[in-house]
Amino acid sequence: MRAALGLAALPLAAGPAAAEQAAATLPELTVTSVSPVQGRSAAAPASGSTLPYGVLPVVTDTFSPVTVVTRDQILRDQPRTLGDALAERPGISASTYAPGAASRPIVRGLDNARVRIQENGVGIQDVSELGEDHGVPINPLVANRIEVIRGPATLRYGSQAIGGVVSAENNRVPSFIPVSGYAGQVTTGYASVDNGRLAAATVDAGADGVAFHADGFRTAADSYRTPAGIQANSANESQGGAVGLSRVFERGFVGVSFSHYDALYQIPGGEAAESRTRLDPRQDRLLARGEYRPEEGPFEVIRFWAGGSVYRHDERGLAEDGIDAVRATFKNREAEGRLELQHVPVATGLGPLTGALGVQSGRREIGTSGEAGTLLAPTDSRSNAIYLFEELALGNGLRLQAAGRAEAARAAGTATLFPADYLPVPGEDPVSQARRRHFAPKSASFGALQELPGGFVASLNGSYVERAPTAFELYSRGAHDATETFEIGDPNLKLERARTIEASLRRGIGPLRLDATGYVTRYTGFIYKRATGIRCGDDFASCGSDDELQQVVYSQRNATFTGAEIGAQLDLLPLGDGFAGIEAQYDFVRAQFDDGTYVPRIPPHRVGGGLFLRADGWFARVNLLHAFAHTEVAPLETVTPGWNDLRAEISRTAPVDPAVFGASEITFGLQGRNLLDDRIRNSASFKKDEILLPGRSVRLFLTARF
């Protein structure tokens, strides 16, 4: 990184003309999930990006930093989970509990209930935040882009997004009609490390104001190889798709979609592998959204989102008698709606004021049965919220933003009173009773964004966010076989409060592209899973006398998170219609409680860099990502060794004759991961001491667009 920034200050090898060419050929990257204050135009095609492939995507017109994974990047990496798609981006890692199947994004060291995962603006409505073994029912192969939002912008979606929002954007509810009447793509690939094979297709079509969308995917992989051999019980497969229909008119659109997802995947490592544990998530989901732009009146844009789903998965495995059976079942029924009203600009003495008012409501019912029936008795969670975003343009490239949100949340379930030492009292069972908790979290933020000379943009944000404890943090009370934990909630948990200051410097055009952010977050009453050191069996009476499961208790302590995330790219030498150059990245997060001990399962410090070439349809890259040994461990945690991930890619994109190939453009290539075949363990994973991540892998990929 130091080298990249130093070179930026020197005369470029390509000279001023090349720099001007780069600035002219790199359009501004825009996103849709960050702020409700947007332009009047109808939703643009969710194409992911118009940037040339290989260019670092930097969003410069938002107050908060945003990570974007473009459609081209998705089709080359061919990730099977959102964690796979994001794990190498600065400031983001993944849980990798079941690589390729159950790997949830971790943002700035925060995961589960603090990171909201959504598709097209509506929460994904699964149970992945209840346990790291639960997969997210989204396949990135049918996404047009993935946006990761941090900081104050998360107020748009609720206090449960205190750590960030991961948004998969696609055209399942069509918002446009292709210019030619139809458009689509087909992608396929093969990975050597796990005999992984996949295929996915999307098509958009329309005429006379009616737009149609359809997509489908199928993936399958055997147990993957590591430097130590085959990782037993790590195979996975998934399939699904969606259809959508919309009415597109002059001043907006309104539409609906239906999607289905099902998968079957195994849980590697420890008891889960020995008992051949596997999960089969299934979800049916209905989504509607629309936008209308009145010709006159106080509102220039009106938008809505609504969605509901039915989710279920069974956890199967060998029981103590050796018979394969369903050992636990998780069910989730959920609905959510949001309405936003963007008012017309208001002229003030300081400059134009634009803003939007939004309301959001949701309800969720979770139930468990089988061995997990004691983990979480049926719960009913409801929330209602109102939020406001306002932006003031002061001139000379300076903009201010203020936002606020007020919620009313309720969580009803069965509370269990455990002994203070979490050890059973002979002859006595913990007392359980129905309980309902009410919370009124409030949040506010303020930000400033200043355009600087040379295409740079600087921003400074401050936020205060309150988060209500979730039902499973309050009411968990038993064994979870797949994660090998005995989880105990605390029905007396209080609001979690976070105060954050973050500063960013970004540049998205020209030969040097930079995305750098530093932040400090102070938590009051940080909720986390505390390992007690006690081992349990399948019931509380066995705690202290059995060794099958690790006992964890949801607890609260004050904590401070400090970190930075930096990505940079520099074009050095013009080649054909592109450039050769260098790139670099660095990120870290340090999370400590007030007594100096460390928060458990935090990602390591990472640094990386490499060379790239993009020209005349060709792209090539060699990149090394190094993770330092993670020694800042919590009590009962072990040190995680450092590792190196050497990656390389070569690909070609070329136009073809549709009459001959049935497609207008084809991209094909070869990509290598962990080429040094290093032993990689994830310090943020519950399974880090039991499993290695995949070893050396070579992937072939092919995408045809029409």
Side-chain angles (χ1 to χ4, degrees):
M1 177 59 64
R2 195 177 296 122
L5 295 178
L7 284 169
L10 299 175
L12 298 177
E20 293 175 4
Q21 177 188 357
T25 58
L26 295 182
E28 184 178 25
L29 182 65
T30 59
V31 293
T32 60
S33 299
V34 180
S35 172
V37 184
Q38 300 173 15
R40 291 180 56 92
S41 61
S47 59
S49 171
T50 56
L51 292 174
Y53 176 69
V55 172
L56 177 69
V58 181
V59 182
T60 58
D61 64 343
T62 63
F63 288 80
S64 299
V66 183
T67 296
V68 177
V69 181
T70 64
R71 179 173 60 182
D72 282 339
Q73 188 70 60
I74 293 170
L75 295 176
R76 283 169 161 84
D77 293 347
Q78 296 187 337
R80 281 167 277 176
T81 70
L82 287 176
D84 295 341
L86 295 166
E88 298 163 359
R89 272 64 185 179
I92 309 172
S93 56
S95 61
T96 64
Y97 197 89
S103 186
R104 207 173 193 270
I106 298 174
V107 181
R108 293 180 173 176
L110 303 171
D111 59 359
N112 294 346
R114 296 183 186 86
V115 175
R116 171 184 165 101
I117 296 178
Q118 63 183 32
E119 184 179 44
N120 296 319
V122 175
I124 193 55
Q125 302 174 350
D126 61 353
V127 295
S128 62
E129 77 274 37
L130 271 72
E132 286 75 6
D133 60 314
H134 302 162
V136 177
I138 289 180
N139 191 301
L141 294 174
V142 295
N144 287 321
R145 68 177 179 275
I146 301 170
E147 300 174 5
V148 181
I149 304 116
R150 310 169 181 84
T154 60
L155 293 186
R156 187 184 186 192
Y157 300 104
S159 62
Q160 296 300 327
I162 192 171
V165 175
V166 177
S167 182
E169 300 293 322
N170 53 48
N171 200 42
R172 283 184 162 177
V173 177
S175 58
F176 68 97
I177 297 175
V179 175
S180 62
Y182 69 93
Q185 65 184 25
V186 177
T187 187
T188 186
Y190 174 82
S192 64
V193 73
D194 56 5
N195 192 30
R197 52 272 186 210
L198 58 86
T202 64
V203 61
D204 292 286
D208 300 325
V210 178
F212 172 79
H213 171 91
D215 65 61
F217 62 87
R218 177 83 169 89
T219 72
D222 302 334
S223 292
Y224 64 82
R225 288 185 291 276
T226 76
I230 298 294
Q231 186 70 59
N233 210 58
S234 62
N236 60 79
E237 61 182 60
S238 67
Q239 60 188 0
V243 292
L245 192 68
S246 293
R247 181 74 171 93
V248 181
F249 45 93
E250 182 181 359
R251 310 200 68 81
F253 74 95
V254 61
V256 64
S257 74
F258 172 80
S259 62
H260 174 78
Y261 177 95
D262 67 71
L264 177 64
Y265 63 88
Q266 300 172 337
I267 303 295
E271 286 283 338
E274 293 178 9
S275 62
R276 302 177 190 172
T277 300
R278 57 201 184 278
L279 281 67
D280 61 349
R282 290 151 283 168
Q283 185 185 59
D284 291 317
R285 176 177 165 89
L286 193 65
L287 175 66
R289 68 186 184 106
E291 176 179 300
Y292 177 66
R293 304 176 305 283
E295 293 189 46
E296 56 185 19
F299 302 111
E300 65 172 356
V301 188
I302 301 171
R303 305 181 183 93
F304 82 91
W305 297 259
S309 70
V310 177
Y311 172 96
R312 170 182 176 146
H313 81 248
D314 296 323
E315 299 183 0
R316 302 184 64 94
L318 300 178
E320 293 181 0
D321 57 8
I323 298 177
D324 186 83
V326 175
R327 305 184 67 178
T329 298
F330 287 74
K331 298 178 181 179
N332 187 78
R333 298 173 66 90
E334 194 168 352
E336 176 188 338
R338 192 169 79 254
L339 173 69
E340 289 180 353
L341 306 173
Q342 179 173 324
H343 66 72
V344 297
V346 177
T348 72
L350 299 175
L353 180 71
T354 56
L357 175 70
V359 292
Q360 183 176 4
S361 182
R363 182 176 181 180
R364 180 182 194 183
E365 296 178 347
I366 303 174
T368 62
S369 59
E371 290 183 2
T374 59
L375 171 62
L376 186 66
T379 65
D380 185 350
S381 302
R382 306 183 187 190
S383 65
N384 296 286
I386 185 170
Y387 57 91
L388 178 68
F389 277 70
E390 293 290 339
E391 294 184 9
L392 179 64
L394 297 177
N396 297 319
L398 176 61
R399 290 189 291 154
L400 304 179
Q401 183 188 79
R405 182 183 180 97
E407 296 184 32
R410 189 195 82 177
T414 301
T416 303
L417 182 62
F418 290 90
D421 58 1
Y422 298 103
L423 288 171
V425 177
E428 296 183 15
D429 291 328
V431 177
S432 297
Q433 62 181 8
R435 189 169 180 186
R436 180 179 296 176
R437 295 289 309 276
H438 293 268
F439 303 94
K442 298 172 289 295
S443 305
S445 69
F446 180 81
L449 185 145
Q450 176 66 63
E451 297 177 6
L452 302 174
F456 287 91
V457 173
S459 63
L460 179 66
N461 295 290
S463 64
Y464 171 82
V465 180
E466 296 179 342
R467 182 179 78 88
T470 62
F472 53 91
E473 291 170 331
L474 294 167
Y475 305 126
S476 293
R477 57 175 190 175
H480 191 181
D481 178 70
T483 58
E484 299 175 22
T485 55
F486 191 96
E487 302 185 11
I488 297 176
D490 182 352
N492 298 312
L493 291 174
K494 301 177 181 179
L495 286 173
E496 179 181 86
R497 296 175 171 86
R499 301 165 180 83
T500 300
I501 295 291
E502 68 176 21
S504 298
L505 182 64
R506 287 166 277 170
R507 187 175 193 252
I509 62 172
L512 172 66
R513 295 167 295 280
L514 174 68
D515 195 345
T517 300
Y519 61 91
V520 177
T521 301
R522 171 65 177 171
Y523 286 94
T524 302
F526 180 80
I527 302 172
Y528 72 107
K529 290 181 180 180
R530 175 175 61 87
T532 64
I534 300 172
R535 306 291 296 188
C536 301
D538 290 334
D539 56 21
F540 182 67
S542 67
C543 289
S545 59
D546 205 326
D547 63 356
E548 181 182 359
L549 307 175
Q550 178 186 29
Q551 188 187 76
V552 294
V553 178
Y554 284 99
S555 306
Q556 281 190 297
R557 296 174 69 183
N558 297 342
T560 301
F561 282 61
T562 305
E565 48 219 24
I566 304 171
Q569 196 174 69
L570 180 63
D571 296 335
L572 290 175
L573 181 67
L575 293 173
D577 63 354
F579 289 89
I582 60 175
E583 56 189 1
Q585 68 179 79
Y586 174 69
D587 66 334
F588 83 92
V589 56
R590 170 170 290 178
Q592 290 181 279
F593 295 115
D594 283 0
D595 63 359
T597 58
Y598 294 102
V599 177
R601 297 182 309 280
I602 294 298
H605 291 225
R606 300 183 302 183
V607 64
L611 307 173
F612 68 86
L613 180 152
R614 65 175 193 278
D616 302 322
W618 286 95
F619 181 78
R621 167 185 282 153
V622 177
N623 187 286
L624 178 68
L625 181 63
H626 172 73
F628 295 93
H630 184 65
T631 60
E632 299 175 343
V633 296
L636 304 180
E637 274 193 316
T638 57
V639 171
T640 305
W643 46 262
N644 294 294
D645 183 5
L646 179 63
R647 299 162 291 175
E649 176 184 334
I650 184 168
S651 62
R652 166 74 165 154
T653 299
V656 294
D657 186 352
V660 177
F661 295 95
S664 58
E665 183 182 79
I666 292 179
T667 298
F668 58 94
L670 191 66
Q671 189 179 84
R673 295 296 182 95
N674 192 11
L675 294 176
L676 300 177
D677 206 27
D678 204 357
R679 291 173 172 259
I680 300 178
R681 298 186 187 272
N682 180 8
S683 63
S685 171
F686 273 100
K687 290 278 189 177
K688 74 180 183 69
D689 294 324
E690 299 176 9
I691 70 170
L692 289 168
L693 298 188
R696 181 184 295 116
S697 178
V698 176
R699 174 182 297 280
L700 297 168
F701 57 86
L702 171 67
T703 297
R705 301 179 180 87
F706 56 89

